[in-house]
Every structure is written in structure tokens, then in C-alpha cells.
Amino acid sequence: EHYPETASGKLALSSDAMGEGTWYDKAAGKARPGMLKVYGDIPEVRELCRLIVQATGATDKYAEIQTWTSPAGRVHAEMSDVQASGRWATKHPATANADPKIRDVFVPDDGHILLTCDLSQVDMRAIAALSQCPDYMALFEPGRDAHMEMAYAYFGERTPEARKKAKRLNHQINYGGGINAVSEQTGVDPAEVARVFTARAAAYPRLIEWTNEVRAIGESGALLDNRFGRLMKCDPQRAYTQAPALMGQGAARDLMCEGLLRLVEAATEVTPYLRGVVHDEVICSVPAEEAELWSDRLREAFTFTWKGVPILCSVSNPGANWLECEH
């Protein structure tokens, strides 16, 4: 019953389709349970899924990377910002979707180590700044754990389990998902999602007002402004989800660029050390003996305040490859 198929009727081979959670069926426009979520108690199915993910995931990505590797051993992926939000994407090869398990092929220059800098909850912080909802903005004050606080608002408890569930819900809800869509994407019961929607509206009223204002602009066909001057157009028929998503993603993209500009302005010599930007993460190859210096510079450049909301980051430990760069 839950055999995962693509639009053409072939077996869906993604790790999500094979996995313990849900996968998004684009043809049907809905989330479906992964094979292991339904049949994980059958040892033979578990082994088949493991082998499929191993064969079609890492192997294909290694082959793709090898195809686009130069004789000097370097990869020069094509970067573009074709998305309306301006968010960067890479191809030839696509590095943004590289499974963390195979990131060991990305290595620094001789005598260097890799450092990565990851913006913390940047989409949520962007929406807090854009909406100017006082109660929502307060979640990101120093020393507060936004997901834990929202878990308390949603479920009345501050526990690791409630925090994990709130975190899973927050991203989908912020980007305009309805009760059924959020339930399908997260696996949370629709009745519980409905209660979360009610609690969220009571806790963050200005956030709800702003979301509806943005939807109205999108539905009218007017351009959305992410407050960096980036004008974005969404499909008026899909403004309910697209408009808030574009605002959050567009602002997050330009907050990343703000950090990059601050970094280059503070230390122009960083330019040849920059290796890539993947979603909300910057990757640098820096001299090993200067690891602490560049760690401090990254942290300083990507820590600032935008419209009353602190923008924070996490700098990784030095790594001999991208896989070793743990935050």
C-alpha cells in the first residue's frame, strides 16, 4: 500500500522515501510515510532500504562530483540565484544536497583546515524582524531558546520531546502551511496541529496579522519587498504559502549576504579562502595556524542586529574535510 512511486510510476529511491519519516510526493502534492515508517519492523525490508539508499544516494553523488572535478582536483560548481527569493543554488555538481556522510570529499588547501559558519535559526529570526511582533521577537533575546519557549506556548511544557516537536512544526507553519499540509509534512496528528495553530495565534497576534498582510499583497499581484530592497513576485493563486515563504527565505538570503559583506569589509584577505555557501552555511579554507583568528572573524561578521532581532551564528570546529566540521 505504501510502495513509494515517482510520477512516472518508478520506485522512488530517495532516502526520505525509504526512511523512518515522511517523503513528499510531488505528483500527488502530499506527504506520504517512508517505507521504514510503515514496514521498518520487517528485517528484510529494512535491509533492502539500507542498500537502496547506499547504492542510489552516496554512489550517485560521488559519481556526479567526479564528473565535474577538474584535473587539478577542484570542483567549480555553477551558482545561480534563479529562485524568486534570491536563494543560491548550485549545479554541476549540486553541492547543496550533498548527504553529510559524503562531505569528506570536500577538503581544504594544503596547510589549511576547513571552518564553517552556520546562521542560527535565520529564517525564524528574519520573520520575527519582518513582522515586528514583540512577543515573537522576544523569543530571540540572548539566553532564550526559541523552540523551547514555543513548545511551552504550544504544549504547556518545556521538555526535549516538546521542543523537538515544536521545532518540526515551526518551519512549516511559518511558511504558510495549513493544518492538513503541516500534519502530512511533520507526521503530527491534525487535531494537535489545529491546537498549535490556536495557541500560536494567541501567543503571537502581530505575527499572524503580518502573515495575512503579506498574503494579501501576494494575492493582489503586487511585488513583495523583503526589506533589503529585493522585490519578489509570487503566484497570486498560491500566495497563501508562497508569500510568507518568499519573505522569510528572501530576507534570510540577504542576511547571509550582509554577513559576507561584513566579513570581506573587515578582512579583505578572506576572499580566496571562501569555498561555498550552502543554504545558511558558509565554508572557508583557512591556514591551519590561523584557525582561531578566522573563527573569531567569522563569528564577529555573522553576529549583528537587524530590525531589533539579534542575528547569531555557530562556527564549527576546524576540520580536515567538510564532514569533520561539526558545530
Side-chain angles (χ1 to χ4, degrees), residues 113-117 282-284 286 291 294-295 298 315-318 325:
I113 52 87
L114 288 187
L115 284 175
T116 66
C117 180
V282 178
I283 307 159
C284 297
V286 303
W294 285 105
S295 179
L298 285 166
V315 179
S316 73
N317 295 322
C325 293

Side-chain angles (χ1 to χ4, degrees), residues 2-6 12 14-18 21-26 30-35 184-185:
H2 297 287
Y3 181 84
E5 292 181 318
T6 65
S14 71
S15 58
D16 287 339
M18 293 292 112
T22 59
W23 67 285
Y24 192 69
D25 184 343
K26 292 182 180 179
K30 62 186 297 183
R32 299 190 186 279
M35 288 288 283
E184 290 176 353
Q185 290 282 358

Side-chain angles (χ1 to χ4, degrees), residues 39-251:
Y39 308 113
D41 59 323
I42 305 173
E44 292 84 357
V45 172
R46 183 167 290 278
E47 179 63 8
L48 275 171
C49 291
R50 184 189 69 80
L51 289 170
I52 287 171
V53 170
Q54 182 181 17
T56 62
T59 304
D60 278 358
K61 183 55 67 174
Y62 279 134
E64 181 188 359
I65 292 170
Q66 184 64 46
T67 298
W68 296 99
T69 300
S70 73
R74 290 185 179 273
V75 169
H76 301 281
E78 295 180 26
M79 294 188 68
S80 61
D81 58 353
V82 294
Q83 298 181 44
S85 66
R87 179 162 284 189
W88 288 320
T90 60
K91 63 178 182 178
H92 301 156
T95 54
N97 64 349
D99 189 298
K101 295 177 182 176
I102 69 163
R103 289 180 174 180
D104 57 338
V105 300
F106 295 93
V107 297
D109 291 347
D110 290 342
H112 282 210
I113 52 87
L114 288 187
L115 284 175
T116 66
C117 180
D118 195 14
L119 288 176
S120 303
Q121 304 167 335
V122 65
D123 288 48
M124 292 175 64
R125 292 174 187 272
I127 287 177
L130 290 167
S131 69
Q132 289 293 292
C133 174
D135 299 303
Y136 196 61
M137 294 171 71
L139 296 176
F140 304 98
E141 293 174 352
R144 298 190 72 179
D145 181 336
H147 290 303
M148 188 68 83
E149 296 294 334
M150 295 178 87
Y152 184 74
Y154 296 166
F155 312 115
E157 57 183 88
R158 292 185 174 92
T159 64
E161 294 76 16
R163 183 188 186 280
K164 184 177 181 180
K165 188 188 296 185
K167 183 177 180 179
R168 200 160 73 242
L169 291 166
N170 283 332
H171 188 70
Q172 297 295 332
I173 295 174
N174 269 343
Y175 285 173
I179 291 172
N180 290 333
V182 171
S183 175
E184 290 176 353
Q185 290 282 358
T186 62
V188 178
D189 182 76
E192 187 168 19
V193 174
R195 289 194 293 272
V196 168
F197 270 64
T198 300
R200 184 171 179 270
Y204 316 113
R206 175 56 196 150
L207 174 63
I208 306 304
E209 289 179 356
W210 172 83
T211 303
N212 290 330
E213 290 165 5
V214 168
R215 286 170 176 157
I217 294 171
E219 288 171 355
S220 74
L223 297 176
L224 297 161
D225 184 346
N226 74 345
R227 299 298 181 264
F228 278 94
R230 179 179 299 282
L231 300 179
M232 306 171 294
K233 182 174 177 60
C234 71
D235 180 350
Q237 302 300 316
R238 301 176 64 190
Y240 189 88
T241 56
Q242 277 193 4
L246 281 175
M247 291 295 286
Q249 291 176 359

